[in-house]
Amino acid sequence: MVITSGKGGVGKTTVAASFAYGLAARGHKTCVVDFDIGLRNLDLHLGAERRVIFDFVNVMMGECNLNQALIKDRRNPNLHLLAASQTRDKDVLTLEGTERILGQLKQESEYVALDSPAWIEAGARLRAGATARETASIALTHTENRKHENTKKAPLGGWGLANGTEMRDPGRTPFW
């Protein structure tokens, strides 16, 4: 499940943390991944900011293994976090490395929730290539149309859809 938007500050991280926590609270083994390289804050939402030792980039670069980087939630043993790097640049990500890590997470978890950076950021397109085969995506929107200019250009085919069901208020016209 990819949680994304064309703009920052619309609640992607809050939705990702809440969604993942809700699945874990229902007994599903869930991992939530912070893809906002350089601007991570999913660890803050989950109360794990002082527990990040290794991150996504460390795993991709072979500096640690995935299990070393996963942070187990203290409140719910079914929830794990893979933090984004705070010190590395997003340009170090590769499609192959991202696909490898996501493949491992899918084998170890029932659900993987991906907290995407804003689509305004060009580096998000690489991560979209690795996540485009996900089964669902949630695109958060805002009522101001100018905030959707880059969302319309995003490469994911599931914009505003989750398993084929439109995720919007039926009384509003979609921006696309």
Side-chain angles (χ1 to χ4, degrees):
M1 171 67 67
V2 180
I3 294 89
T4 191
S5 179
K7 182 183 182 322
V10 297
K12 294 178 298 294
T13 301
T14 301
V15 170
S18 299
F19 185 76
Y21 195 85
L23 287 169
R26 286 165 180 75
H28 299 286
K29 188 170 182 185
T30 305
C31 181
V32 61
V33 181
D34 191 340
F35 264 120
D36 208 350
I37 307 298
L39 296 171
R40 80 166 189 238
N41 65 4
L42 186 57
D43 54 319
L44 294 170
H45 283 258
L46 296 174
E49 65 274 11
R50 295 192 174 161
R51 298 176 55 213
V52 177
I53 297 170
F54 296 112
D55 56 50
F56 191 94
V57 174
N58 294 129
V59 176
M60 195 189 68
M61 303 295 280
E63 298 165 355
C64 68
N65 65 48
L66 181 60
N67 287 328
Q68 289 174 298
L70 288 175
I71 301 168
K72 190 175 194 176
D73 188 80
R74 289 186 173 153
R75 300 161 295 174
N76 190 324
N78 291 319
L79 181 62
H80 290 80
L81 162 69
L82 180 55
S85 177
Q86 193 76 332
T87 58
R88 304 271 180 94
D89 188 78
K90 61 193 164 291
D91 295 333
V92 302
L93 294 180
T94 64
L95 182 59
E96 296 79 21
T98 302
E99 287 178 334
R100 178 179 50 82
I101 294 168
L102 292 178
Q104 287 179 292
L105 288 172
K106 286 182 194 178
Q107 289 177 354
E108 297 179 17
S109 302
E110 291 177 68
Y111 291 95
V112 179
L114 306 173
D115 179 23
S116 169
W119 286 101
I120 292 170
E121 182 232 314
R125 285 166 181 72
L126 171 68
R127 290 173 299 285
T131 60
R133 291 180 287 279
E134 299 305 313
T135 56
S137 61
I138 296 175
L140 302 181
T141 61
H142 192 278
T143 57
E144 294 179 38
N145 284 336
R146 68 174 176 247
K147 295 182 180 185
H148 303 297
E149 289 305 310
N150 288 309
T151 304
K152 290 188 256 184
K153 300 173 190 171
L156 285 178
W159 284 110
L161 302 176
N163 295 328
T165 304
E166 207 163 88
M167 304 289 286
R168 67 176 177 92
D169 180 344
R172 290 189 182 169
T173 304
F175 66 88
W176 63 89

